[in-house]
Amino acid sequence: MKGIFTALITPFHGDGKINEKGLRQVVRHNIDKMGVHGLYVGGSTGENFLLSKETKKEIFSIVKEEVGTQVKLIAQIGSLNIEEAIELGKYATDLGYDALSSVTPYYYKFSFNEIKNYYLQLIEATGNKMIIYSIPVLTGVNFSLGEFDQILNLPNVIGVKFTDSDFVKLERLKRLYPEKTFLFGFDEIMLAGCVFNADGAIGSTYNVMGDKAVAIYNLVQEEKIKEAMEIQSNMNQVIEVMIQHGVYQSIKEILKLKGIDGGHMKFPFSELSGEGKEEVKKIMELI
Ligand code: NGF
């Protein structure tokens, strides 16, 4: 569980149903052209939190069928509804997903013990490896070092998807838990994450710039930080435009311009604006 994992987008039809052909194309593009080491399925990028349980299962199944054992697969199964999370976890485990990941329960201000018990139940019921999905900026759940310590000691917890810019925390955690996997979640600073000893990264923009992320990852292993910074800086020119016009919308547009059916957004997300399309066209030469 090291290296670059694409947080997979989900192509939808205009009516909100899964665009299976597009999804298969996106998976192939990630493996064959981007050369990423794995896929993170059902994350924020996949618009997962807008989907029904049945649709989530459909995505897990299509992706596994397309991937086989070519790259590592992580299924994000987190849901406020623990029964749903367990059912999805068992489903993905039976399909052969290499690990599960679950976002920290959000919306209600759960106590740390409630969150810990949530993971305990999930782990006991599914029996698969678990990667904690920590994304304080979206969930408001920001574990202290001591809380991470308790969470990382739960059985089957193999690591953290660390979507945070607290590099001190990342460095301390990796130092305390060298055997655990820390996958960094902000693409625009992934080089810094890898320098601070992350084991790799999970990100949305790797759907279209995974090759660049893999190059950065490899350069860090070779301690060629200046060369890696050059690539990061180029990526950030693209990410800047994406953030301005909608990251997921821009990724789908870039895929479309590359001849891959990235499909539509799931309501209530809106599609990319006309201005966004123009701006994305201008940065295609950087991708
Ligand atoms: O989309 C977000 C929201 N973050 C993603 C990534 O951390 C989410 C990140 O790639 C993810 O992996 C998932 O799908 O669960 C950003 O889109 C990127 O850094 C641009 O800001 O924070």
Side-chain angles (χ1 to χ4, degrees):
M1 286 293 166
K2 280 178 189 290
I4 301 302
F5 287 73
T6 297
L8 203 64
I9 61 135
T10 309
F12 295 97
H13 287 298
D15 62 3
K17 300 236 165 64
I18 300 295
N19 174 346
E20 179 174 344
K21 193 162 155 250
L23 181 56
R24 288 183 188 274
Q25 282 180 8
V26 174
V27 168
R28 288 261 57 90
H29 172 73
N30 269 289
I31 300 175
D32 302 337
K33 296 279 176 1
M34 298 291 96
V36 294
H37 305 109
L39 301 177
Y40 190 78
V41 188
S44 326
T45 307
E47 300 167 69
N48 172 75
F49 302 104
L50 305 175
L51 306 181
S52 70
K53 185 176 66 183
E54 291 316 315
T55 305
K56 293 176 190 180
K57 284 185 176 176
E58 197 184 338
I59 295 169
F60 287 145
S61 162
I62 294 167
V63 173
K64 178 61 187 171
E65 195 182 276
E66 191 61 44
V67 171
T69 54
Q70 280 190 285
V71 295
K72 296 275 182 211
L73 284 177
I74 304 172
Q76 198 295 123
I77 49 129
S79 164
L80 284 186
N81 180 278
I82 187 77
E83 288 84 12
E84 173 175 314
I86 288 173
E87 191 177 325
L88 289 171
K90 285 182 175 166
Y91 185 78
T93 301
D94 289 347
L95 283 174
Y97 274 68
D98 299 284
L100 304 176
S101 180
S102 176
V103 71
T104 50
Y106 51 92
Y107 188 77
Y108 299 105
K109 302 272 177 239
F110 296 109
S111 69
F112 175 70
N113 273 336
E114 287 167 334
I115 295 174
K116 195 168 116 183
N117 287 333
Y118 166 90
Y119 281 112
L120 259 178
Q121 277 213 18
L122 213 46
I123 291 162
E124 269 169 26
T126 58
N128 201 342
K129 302 184 199 81
M130 173 63 67
I131 296 174
I132 307 297
Y133 182 2
S134 172
I135 181 162
V137 68
L138 291 185
T139 58
V141 178
N142 195 355
F143 291 147
S144 65
L145 268 179
E147 288 169 342
F148 263 122
D149 185 61
Q150 290 188 51
I151 289 284
L152 284 162
N153 273 308
L154 296 178
N156 286 15
V157 171
I158 60 162
V160 179
K161 173 181 180 324
F162 189 89
T163 308
D164 193 358
S165 52
D166 188 337
F167 292 107
V168 180
K169 201 181 269 178
L170 175 62
E171 187 278 329
R172 291 290 83 196
L173 284 169
K174 188 63 192 172
R175 176 92 176 193
L176 283 168
Y177 293 97
E179 76 288 3
K180 304 277 183 190
T181 300
F182 294 89
L183 296 166
F184 197 73
F186 281 133
D187 312 6
E188 48 278 60
I189 44 175
M190 72 147 292
L191 166 59
C194 291
V195 169
F196 269 74
N197 279 344
D199 299 283
I202 299 174
S204 61
T205 67
Y206 310 151
N207 281 282
V208 289
M209 296 193 288
D211 51 345
K212 294 179 175 49
V214 169
I216 292 177
Y217 174 76
N218 289 336
L219 285 166
V220 172
Q221 311 301 307
E222 296 163 29
E223 298 184 7
K224 293 183 178 161
I225 305 304
K226 207 162 164 227
E227 289 93 325
M229 187 58 208
E230 188 80 14
I231 302 173
Q232 178 79 77
S233 182
N234 281 337
M235 282 177 77
N236 288 0
Q237 276 183 262
V238 176
I239 295 175
E240 193 173 26
V241 172
M242 288 177 164
I243 289 174
Q244 201 179 338
H245 296 282
V247 175
Y248 313 144
Q249 288 90 337
S250 302
I251 292 170
K252 290 184 179 188
E253 179 69 11
I254 293 167
L255 286 166
K256 187 171 146 202
L257 293 173
K258 283 177 172 287
I260 297 148
D261 189 0
H264 292 271
M265 299 296 295
K266 180 86 169 72
F267 186 82
F269 275 125
S270 53
E271 303 291 338
L272 188 64
S273 66
E275 191 198 344
K277 285 185 185 170
E278 286 305 312
E279 292 301 313
V280 163
K281 219 181 275 171
K282 286 188 204 155
I283 49 156
M284 283 304 284
E285 65 191 32
L286 295 167
I287 298 166

